[in-house]
Amino acid sequence: MNFQMGAALLDYCVLGVLAREDAYGYALTVEVKKVMTISESTLYPVLRRLKKEAFVTTYDEAFQGRNRRYYQITATGLQRKTELAAEWTEFIKKIEMVVEGEKKNE
């Protein structure tokens, strides 16, 4: 399988953050922005899709008089994160082969 830079990388980042801790949308956006340009309006459809695919679940908590929706990774989401990690590793190896060339026995 070929690693798709857009969706797969974004999924991998989101699932990686959620594997560490539950987070709400804005906090997820801040974390993901550390490695790619993304807006909350881009992230929320991704979160809805991840929820529909059962990779994440949600729950609400009160915060300053409002409800804040938190996202939590599921067991299926952890499995998907592991798959994406393997794809990412393979992708990086392929890039290194192109950039550095095939390593020859010296």
Side-chain angles (χ1 to χ4, degrees):
M1 178 180 282
N2 291 329
F3 194 87
Q4 300 296 312
M5 281 298 292
L9 184 56
L10 185 51
D11 288 1
Y12 185 36
C13 289
V14 169
L15 294 173
V17 171
L18 294 176
R20 292 193 318 262
E21 63 184 349
D22 298 355
Y24 57 97
Y26 179 75
L28 280 167
T29 303
V30 168
E31 284 299 305
V32 174
K33 275 186 174 181
K34 292 178 180 178
V35 294
M36 68 175 62
T37 303
I38 187 171
S39 66
E40 283 181 86
S41 61
T42 301
L43 186 63
Y44 282 109
V46 171
L47 290 168
R48 282 192 296 274
R49 179 179 49 76
L50 292 173
K51 184 177 179 184
K52 183 178 178 183
E53 294 172 348
F55 296 142
V56 302
T57 189
T58 61
Y59 62 91
D60 293 341
E61 275 191 13
F63 178 78
Q64 296 181 349
R66 299 179 55 201
N67 274 340
R68 183 179 271 176
R69 176 149 297 159
Y70 282 83
Y71 295 84
Q72 181 177 51
I73 196 166
T74 63
T76 305
L78 286 170
Q79 181 179 353
R80 180 65 180 143
K81 179 188 165 282
T82 299
E83 292 166 1
L84 289 168
E87 290 175 23
W88 175 251
T89 300
E90 187 61 31
F91 181 72
I92 293 299
K93 286 179 186 176
K94 289 177 182 178
I95 289 175
E96 288 173 348
M97 283 180 11
V98 170
V99 172
E100 298 174 9
E102 295 284 338
K103 300 287 185 196
K104 301 200 189 265
N105 291 337
E106 296 179 18

